[in-house]
Amino acid sequence: MNDETAVRPQHTIDDVEIQEWLESLDSVLESSGPEVAAEILERLRAHATVNGIDLPFSANTPYANTIPVRLQPLFPGDQELERRIKSLIRWNALAMVVRANRVEHNIGGHISTYASAATLYEVGFNHFFRARTDEFEGDSVYFQGHAAPGIYARAFLEGRLTAHQLENFRRELKPGGGLSSYPHPWLMPDFWEFPTVSMGLSPLMAIYQARFNRYLENRGLKPPTDAKVWAFLGDGETDEPESLGAITLASREKLDNLIFVVNCNLQRLDGPVRGNGQIIQELESAFRGAGWNVIKVLWGSEWDPILERDTEGLLVKRMGEMVDGEYQKLVVSSGSYVRETFFGTDPRLLKLVEPLPDEALRRLRLGGHDPRKVYAAYKAAVEHQGSPTVILARTIKGYGLGEAGEGKNVTHQQKKLNEDELREFRSRFGIPLSDQDCIDVPFYRPPEDSAEIQYLRSRREARGGYVPQRKPRAKPLVADHDELFKEFLEGSEGREVSTTMAFVGMLRKMLKDPEIGKLIVPIVPDEARTFGMESLFRTVGIYSSVGQRYEPVDVNTLLYYKEARDGQILEEGITEAGSMASFIAAGSAYATHGINTIPFFIYYSMFGFQRIADFIWASADMRTRGFLLGGTAGRTTLSGEGLQHQDGNSHVLALPVPNLVAYDPAFAYEIAVIIQDGVRRMYKDGESIFYYLTVMNEPYAMPAMPGDVKDGILRGMYRFRKAANGKAKLRAQLLGSGAILNEALRAQEILDSKYGVAADVWSVTSYKELYKDGVETERWNRLHPGEKPRVPYVTECLADAPGVLVAASDYLKTLPNMISKWMPRHLAALGTDGFGRSEGRSSLRDFFEVDSRFIALAALHELFADGKIERSVLDKAAKDLGINTEKSNPVIS
Ligand SMILES: Cc1ncc(C[n+]2csc(CCOP(=O)(O)OP(=O)(O)O)c2C)c(N)n1
Ligand SMILES: [Mg+2]
C-alpha cells in the first residue's frame, strides 16, 4: 500500500448515489433524447480519463437487448398465422429427419439447428428476404447448412418441393430424385445458391459477396440497389478463423448491404460453445471493435415487464453475471430452479418475479424465439447505414424438442424421437394430427386454400417470389476471340519471356477487348509486382470504394499505384481466402447477377490449393466460372524460395475437384489456346467448369505454335518436336510439362548428339485431362463389352511412337505414373517429390533429378533395361553427365 492510498478515505459504492446518477441520465434521455445522453456519457468518460481514472476498455454493452422496448416497431404481420406456419415447418423439418432415419439407419440429418433458428428464418421469409426478379436483383441469403431441413420444409409448404422429395431427404439417388443433405448448388442447381456447410466459409464468402456487389455498382456493371446479403451462422461456427477473419474489411468498406445473423444457441456439436464464458459478449466485442453495428436480441417480450419493474438495473446486471454453461442449464430446468438460481441471488430480484408462477418463469422466451424482437432487429439492420450489421440472437438449441433434446448437449445429433416425444412436439406446436397418426410422422401440408398457405404465398409474392432459388440469367458471349489470341500463337521471336509474362500480356489484351474487356476481374493477393502486373495498376486501376484520397508516393512514375472507384483490379492484400471469395463472387455473378464477369485470380501457387482448398471445393460446388492461376509455380522453377514456397503439389491437389480443368502449360501459345477455349466453354457454352493454370517465372524464348496442335493442347498432350533422325535404331519418347519441357528438349539434343538416341518430345499440358480421359474410356469399355473398345487418348498418341518412355515434370511423379498404365511400354517418371530447397534452378533440378541430364540418363536406363544398350554405356553416361549416383534422395531428405 503506498502513502497516497493509505490516506485516501475508503469509500464504498452507495446505492443511493448510483440511483441519483441513473435518474439524472433517465431525465436527460427523456428531455433531450439519446444523442444528448450519449454525448454526456462520452464527455464524462473523457473527463474521467483526464482526471486519472483508468477506465477499463470494453467494447461490450450490458447483457440486454440492444433495441429497447420503446424503440421497438410494431410487428406488421399476422403473428398468430405466422406462428402456425412456423409450427408446420418445424413439424415437417423434423419429419424429414425422423422418417429418413427410420428407413435408413444412420442416414443422418439435423433437427436441433433449425429448431433453434426457425423464428430467425421465418421472420426473414415473411418480411425481409427479397427474391431475384427481372426488375430487382434480390437479396442473397446464406443459410446455415445444418438448417437445410427447415428450408426444404418451407419450400414444401410453398408447393416448390413435393412430399416425395422430402421423403427422399438425403436419398438423392432414389428414383424421382431426393434432396441433398446441405445446400449444394451442384446437386440442386435450381434451388441452392450458396454452399455453406463447411463451416466458416460462408461468413467470409458473404462479406466478399457484399463487397463484390458494390464493385459491380461502382464499375457501372449494375445499377446501385439496396439488395442485402444475409448470412446465417452458428455461434460455434464463429470459432472457425475464416468466420471473423474478414470482418474488418466489411466495416472498412462500409458494407451496410451485409447482415450477419448469428444463431446463439450457446451450443455446438459436443457441448457449450463457451461454457465458462459468454459467446454473445465475446462476439459483441469482436464485432463492435471491428466497427460493426451490433444488435443483441437476447430476451423475449415476456421479460419486458420484469425489466420495466427493475428500476435499479439489477436484473441486467444479473443477466450479465451468468456464464453460458449456467444459462444452458437454466433452459432445461424447472421454473422453481430458475427462480432459485437466477433470481435467488438477491431478494430484490426475487421480488421482481414474485407475481409470476413457476410455469411462467420457465416460459420466459429468449429473444431469438420472439418474432417481435427478431423483426425489430432485422428492421434496424436493413435500415442501418454506414456499416455492416451483426445480429446476435439468443436461442435454444433443439427448441421445442422437450425431453428429446431441448438444450441438451446431445441435441445436435438427435435424429429419432420416441412416440411420446413426437406427441408432445405435435401438441406443443398444434399440428392437427391424431395421437395415432403423428407417430408415423407424416408430412403435413394444409390445403391450398387454407389461411396458412394463402398467407405464406402472399408474403412471398410481396417479396418478389421464392427464396432460395438459383436462376442463371447471364446471356452467353457471342464473339470467338480468334483475333484477340492470334498474336500469342506466333511466339516471341527469340525474346525470353516467362509464361507469367505471356499470361499478363494476354490479360492486358483481354482487358481491352470490346466484349470481354469490362467483364474481366483481375484478382491478386498482394502479388501483382511478383507477376509483373503493375502496369495494369495504371491502365485499369485498383478498385477502391472511396477512390484515392492521397497522392501516391510514386505518382510521378509511369506505373503508379492508382486506386479508383471504378478500378478493375481487386487487389485484396495478403488474403488468399479473401481473394478466393472474390473469385467465387465474380465467377458466380452469371447466376447471382446475370453478369458474365470473368475472374482471373493469380496467386503464389503454393498458397492456393495447399491453403484454401476447401474454398476451391466450395467454388466447384457453386458452379463458379473463371481462371485460377498458380503463379511462381514449379518446385524447381521457383528458385531461391525454398521449402514453403516451391510448389510441386498443386496439380496433384487439383485432381480431386471434379469440374476443375487443370493445365501445366509450357509456352505462350498453349496458354492462349487454353484461355480462349476456356472462355468459350464457360461463357459461351455455359459449362459449369473452371480452370487452373500454373504459370512460371523462368524466362525463355516462346516458340510459335508448331502447326495445328490446339486439340492436343486441350486434350492434354501433343508431339512438340519430332526426332531429327527418325530412322535411328535407338528411340525414345520424352514427355515434358511446364518449364521442364525445355529440359526434355535439351535431353533430346544430348541423347541425339552423344548417344545416338533419337527422341521425340511431347508437351504434356495436363495429366489431369489425360487421366480423366483414361478412366472414362476404361469405364465405357467395361460397361459396353459388346462394342468396339475405345482407346485412351494417351494410348492413341503413343501407339506409333517408338522407343522408351520418360516423363518429367515439376510436380510429383504420381502425375505421369497415374497414366502410365495406358502407355504401350514401361514409363520412367521423374518429378519433384520432397521438400523444396533454397537454391538456384539448375541446382534444384539436379537435386530433384529432373534436369536434361537426368532425363537423358532415364532414357538410357530404359534402353539398358530393354537390352538395347550395354551397361558400360549407361555407367559412362552417368559419369559424363556429371551425375552423382550416390547423391541424397530428394524424396525424404
Ligand atoms: C469445417 C467444418 N467442421 C466441422 C463440421 C461438423 N459440424 C457440423 S455442425 C457442427 C456444430 C455446429 O455448431 P454451431 O455452429 O453452433 O451451429 P448450431 O447447430 O448450434 O446452430 C459441427 C462441428 C462442419 N460442418 N464444418
Ligand atoms: Mg450453436
Side-chain angles (χ1 to χ4, degrees), residues 234-236 263-268 273 397:
D235 48 358
N263 177 14
C264 297
N265 52 28
L266 314 187
Q267 285 176 245
R268 41 179 165 71
V273 180
K397 189 142 177 169

Side-chain angles (χ1 to χ4, degrees), residues 635-636 648-649 735 740 767 806-817 828-834 844-851 854-855 858 887 889-891:
R635 187 156 279 155
T636 67
N649 311 341
L735 282 56
I740 302 300
Y767 280 107
V806 181
S809 86
D810 230 353
Y811 295 86
L812 303 192
K813 299 178 184 78
T814 193
L815 290 175
N817 277 335
L830 305 181
T832 57
D833 305 46
L844 285 167
R845 287 178 185 165
D846 172 52
F847 177 72
F848 281 104
E849 304 162 14
V850 291
D851 65 15
F854 277 94
I855 296 173
K887 71 185 274 297
N889 177 1
V891 178

Side-chain angles (χ1 to χ4, degrees), residues 113 144 146 197 199 234-237 240 265 267 397 412:
T113 299
Q144 208 183 335
H146 297 79
V197 75
M199 289 190 298
D235 48 358
E237 181 173 11
E240 289 287 0
N265 52 28
Q267 285 176 245
K397 189 142 177 169
H412 190 84

